[in-house]
Amino acid sequence: MTAPKKHVYRTNFTLITAFLVLITVTLVIAIFVSYKLTAKYVENEFTSKKIEVQEQTIKPYNDFFQIKIPEITSYNGFLDSASAANYASTVFKSYPFVRKVLFYDIQIGKPVSQVVADQGIFVKAVYRYKPKHGKVFGQKDMSVANDDDFKQMALKLHNFINVADTTRLPSQDEIFRTFYNVNPDKISYLNIPRREDIKIYRAVLKNRKSQNFGKQNMLTFSLDPHFLKVNNTHPELYQDVTIQPVVYDPLDVEKEKIITEVALPGAFSNFKLYFSSERSHLNREIDKRYLPIGAVLFLIYFFLVLISYLIYRNLNVNLKIFKLQYDFINNFTHEFKTPVSVIKIAGSNLRGDGELSERQRKHYGKILDEEADKLNELMNKLLSFTQLENRSIRIKREEIDIQHFVKGYIDTFKIKYPDFNLKYIMDNVSTFYSDPVLLGSVFQNLMENAYKYSHPGKKELLISIKQDKRNIVFSFADKGIGMDKSEQGDVFKKFYRIENQYNQNGSVGLGLAFCKELMNFMNGSITVNSRPNEGSTFIVTLPLES
């Protein structure tokens, strides 16, 4: 039997080892591939997330362009130097990138002295505003009255007045093409006239001698992108974000740095956002993002290792069960073989030719009777255990007189084992309801074990009975050989046998397992406390009533 066992162990170990090698190799590949994918994803984000940074950086510029500048229209062309100064003050305060504002007070159709005209549109006055020490510094400056900004806007306005459809509002495209002039670092804006005003302006331009005239306001904003606040919304990707001219291209770029860029829109179109990061900075971000992925991979790996361990343990348990069953068959065979051999010998002697005395016949008859009882007891125990496992036994609950019940078993065992010192004590309990036959089987097994596993001269057993709340507790305390703590949980397993000098023959490992099954069947419990060479105490707990 030795060779097959080694073969089973070797096969199991090889399979488990192969499985562990497979999942380990898979883990290494998964770690490598997932890290590379994470690195690629972070590098792609480095390239793509710059748009978000750009949007957040130019958000104030967009607010200025789309909200603040169109406020000029609400004045309907009646801004003067004072109100223009107040407006410029709010602009400088909210938008630091606006560094200068030119206010053009424009008159349409009727010329006045000391004005500059273009296409019948005249500049009455120009005021320059600048921020200084938190305040607005303004002065009149007619030197820029006829500059290109004014000429371009005057031409646009003139053409719009001549062709505008006054039956509808101008479209956004018409507004942008006519009333805005966006150049690098500069935005010019004319207030949008009402449809009634356009009709008047058209008539005035056709008849310039008319006493009627129109008023318009034009403002030119000089911008400096270096006063934009860079809003780096992804510091995990970009270490340094700066505003640079579009032509900026450093000749000496460090190899350990990675860079990207994106152009600014509108009046800042001649500038760009320049992004740069050390390679180590991105590596830290890659490691940070990879950490949970790696943790999940290792968790899966350890889960698979745990499964491998459970499979291996299950195989070992099955092997141990096989060994227990093998030992059971050997022991059971031995248990049958010994009585059968004795019966055969006694039978042969009885059949012999020689005459037997009365004493010899009684002796052989006693032997046959005892050995037959042993066989019958062994068969009954195995049959009862099978019936218990299949739940084919019914509990017959009767009122049991505890003292009479216990004393009966003690008297029987004193007759059977004269050297067995048996005592019992009772504490405030006299009767309870249970199955006397099944309980008797427990008593018989525990008392047999107490005698069997005790040293000669120390064959003692004290049975204590007491009530604990709604339960009755039987304690069987002997002075036997005891057992290690590691074996106390296994003694109730089927076919389990403790290896000792008292257990080499005559045990199949069913007695305590049978008691355990009986207790489970009777809604009770059985436990053991034991120390080697000091003895064991088996505690049986049953409900007082059904």
Side-chain angles (χ1 to χ4, degrees):
M1 296 299 295
T2 305
K5 251 194 295 188
K6 287 184 179 178
H7 179 70
V8 172
Y9 269 117
R10 185 170 60 253
T11 303
N12 294 342
F13 182 76
T14 302
L15 288 173
I16 297 299
T17 302
F19 182 70
L20 288 174
V21 170
L22 176 63
I23 62 175
T24 302
V25 171
T26 305
L27 173 68
V28 172
I29 294 173
I31 288 174
F32 177 77
V33 172
S34 59
Y35 188 85
K36 287 293 185 183
L37 290 175
T38 304
K40 188 68 176 176
Y41 181 77
V42 171
E43 289 173 0
N44 289 340
E45 276 200 346
F46 182 85
T47 304
S48 62
K49 292 295 183 180
K50 61 187 178 183
I51 302 300
E52 292 184 16
V53 178
Q54 182 216 45
E55 289 175 352
Q56 291 301 314
T57 299
I58 65 169
K59 187 176 183 300
Y61 167 78
N62 289 334
D63 291 342
F64 170 70
F65 188 83
Q66 297 170 6
I67 300 174
K68 190 63 180 176
I69 291 180
E71 283 184 12
I72 299 169
T73 295
S74 63
Y75 292 95
N76 293 321
F78 291 100
L79 273 176
D80 55 20
S81 59
S83 54
N86 291 333
Y87 174 82
S89 177
T90 61
V91 169
F92 293 142
K93 184 177 180 181
S94 301
Y95 308 100
F97 52 85
V98 180
R99 306 311 300 166
K100 184 175 67 174
V101 176
L102 290 177
F103 166 55
Y104 294 80
D105 189 4
I106 298 174
Q107 188 168 299
I108 300 175
K110 184 179 179 181
V112 295
S113 59
Q114 297 181 347
V115 297
V116 178
D118 191 275
Q119 304 291 335
I121 300 173
F122 302 86
V123 176
K124 184 177 179 181
V126 180
Y127 295 89
R128 183 191 304 270
Y129 302 100
K130 289 184 178 181
K132 188 175 183 181
H133 306 302
K135 296 182 180 180
V136 176
F137 176 75
Q139 63 178 8
K140 192 172 183 179
D141 185 3
M142 294 300 293
S143 63
V144 294
N146 200 30
D147 61 5
D148 290 339
D149 295 324
F150 169 72
K151 290 180 178 180
Q152 291 176 11
M153 296 301 288
L155 179 60
K156 288 182 177 183
L157 179 60
H158 182 271
N159 294 335
F160 179 78
I161 292 171
N162 287 331
V163 300
D165 183 358
T166 57
T167 62
R168 61 174 178 84
L169 293 174
S171 65
Q172 288 298 319
D173 182 61
E174 290 173 331
I175 289 173
F176 183 76
R177 285 189 288 105
T178 304
F179 301 99
Y180 284 91
N181 190 24
V182 180
N183 294 304
D185 304 331
K186 187 183 293 186
I187 300 175
S188 295
Y189 179 80
L190 268 168
N191 67 286
I192 304 171
R194 294 172 298 182
R195 284 180 288 177
E196 294 79 6
D197 294 336
I198 295 174
K199 293 177 182 178
I200 295 171
Y201 297 165
R202 187 177 295 167
V204 167
L205 289 176
K206 288 182 179 179
N207 184 11
R208 295 188 184 180
K209 294 181 179 181
S210 171
Q211 294 299 313
N212 294 325
F213 64 93
K215 285 183 62 65
Q216 285 288 108
N217 297 141
M218 170 182 158
L219 282 87
T220 298
F221 304 91
S222 296
L223 313 179
D224 188 345
H226 294 98
F227 286 88
L228 273 175
K229 183 180 179 182
V230 176
N231 191 356
N232 186 3
T233 54
H234 292 283
E236 75 280 3
L237 298 174
Y238 309 114
Q239 272 185 303
D240 189 30
V241 183
T242 58
I243 297 174
Q244 301 291 348
V246 172
V247 295
Y248 175 77
D249 188 16
L251 298 177
D252 186 17
V253 178
E254 297 179 21
K255 293 181 179 179
E256 292 301 316
K257 273 194 174 184
I258 53 178
I259 58 173
T260 187
E261 57 188 38
V262 60
L264 294 174
F268 298 142
S269 58
N270 55 337
F271 285 86
K272 65 182 177 181
L273 287 179
Y274 187 80
F275 303 82
S276 64
S277 293
E278 299 284 346
R279 173 63 65 177
S280 58
H281 181 74
L282 274 193
N283 288 341
R284 284 193 295 271
E285 179 63 18
I286 292 170
D287 294 340
K288 180 181 176 182
R289 297 193 185 188
Y290 179 73
L291 186 62
I293 299 174
V296 170
L297 289 175
F298 274 103
L299 185 64
I300 295 172
Y301 175 76
F302 284 121
F303 178 72
L304 293 174
V305 170
L306 178 62
I307 292 176
S308 304
Y309 167 73
L310 293 176
I311 293 173
Y312 182 71
R313 189 184 68 172
N314 187 56
L315 292 173
N316 278 340
V317 168
N318 289 337
L319 190 63
K320 289 178 181 178
I321 291 174
F322 170 77
K323 185 177 181 299
L324 287 174
Q325 291 174 337
Y326 176 76
D327 291 341
F328 165 73
I329 293 171
N330 281 344
N331 294 325
F332 205 75
T333 304
H334 177 79
E335 286 294 295
F336 267 101
K337 186 177 180 180
T338 301
V340 168
S341 299
V342 173
I343 290 172
K344 187 173 180 63
I345 292 171
S348 297
N349 289 335
L350 288 173
R351 287 187 309 166
D353 295 334
E355 293 186 4
L356 299 174
S357 64
E358 185 67 23
R359 182 180 178 182
Q360 287 176 321
R361 281 198 303 273
K362 287 183 178 181
H363 176 68
Y364 288 134
K366 181 182 179 182
I367 290 174
L368 290 173
D369 187 57
E370 288 177 350
E371 297 304 321
D373 285 343
K374 286 183 181 179
L375 288 174
N376 186 54
E377 181 183 351
L378 196 59
M379 291 301 299
N380 285 338
K381 184 180 290 187
L382 187 60
L383 180 61
S384 298
F385 198 103
T386 304
Q387 290 175 332
L388 273 177
E389 287 185 325
N390 294 329
R391 293 294 189 265
S392 59
I393 295 178
R394 291 186 178 181
I395 298 177
K396 298 179 180 179
R397 298 190 182 276
E398 300 176 8
E399 186 177 13
I400 299 175
D401 185 324
I402 299 174
Q403 184 173 4
H404 178 74
F405 180 83
V406 175
K407 195 172 184 307
Y409 275 93
I410 289 178
D411 292 341
T412 301
F413 269 82
K414 280 184 177 180
I415 295 172
K416 187 176 182 180
Y417 303 118
D419 59 336
F420 200 5
N421 183 11
L422 288 162
K423 296 179 182 179
Y424 76 96
I425 56 174
M426 296 177 59
D427 183 11
N428 195 28
V429 61
S430 58
T431 62
F432 82 110
Y433 287 86
S434 188
D435 189 317
V437 176
L438 299 182
L439 182 61
S441 297
V442 176
F443 265 71
Q444 187 169 347
N445 274 286
L446 294 179
M447 293 172 77
E448 283 281 2
N449 281 354
Y451 182 83
K452 181 179 178 180
Y453 295 104
S454 294
H455 299 293
K458 284 189 176 182
K459 295 185 181 295
E460 302 176 12
L461 179 65
L462 174 62
I463 303 175
S464 303
I465 307 102
K466 65 178 181 179
Q467 182 178 345
D468 181 17
K469 297 180 181 179
R470 301 179 62 85
N471 297 318
I472 183 169
V473 179
F474 298 90
S475 296
F476 298 79
D478 62 45
K479 297 294 181 68
I481 62 173
M483 67 186 83
D484 291 330
K485 191 172 183 179
S486 60
E487 293 185 299
Q488 292 177 24
D490 295 326
V491 292
F492 297 108
K493 293 179 180 178
K494 190 165 55 174
F495 308 134
Y496 185 83
R497 296 164 65 244
I498 299 176
E499 299 297 332
N500 56 58
Q501 57 180 329
Y502 298 92
N503 217 3
Q504 298 305 311
N505 296 307
S507 174
V508 292
L510 282 177
L512 290 177
F514 181 64
C515 291
K516 181 72 173 178
E517 284 293 325
L518 275 175
M519 287 299 100
N520 291 339
F521 188 66
M522 298 167 69
N523 298 321
S525 64
I526 181 171
T527 57
V528 62
N529 294 318
S530 182
R531 289 186 179 181
N533 299 318
E534 293 184 14
S536 302
T537 300
F538 288 86
I539 301 171
V540 173
T541 304
L542 285 167
L544 274 172
E545 298 181 0
S546 59

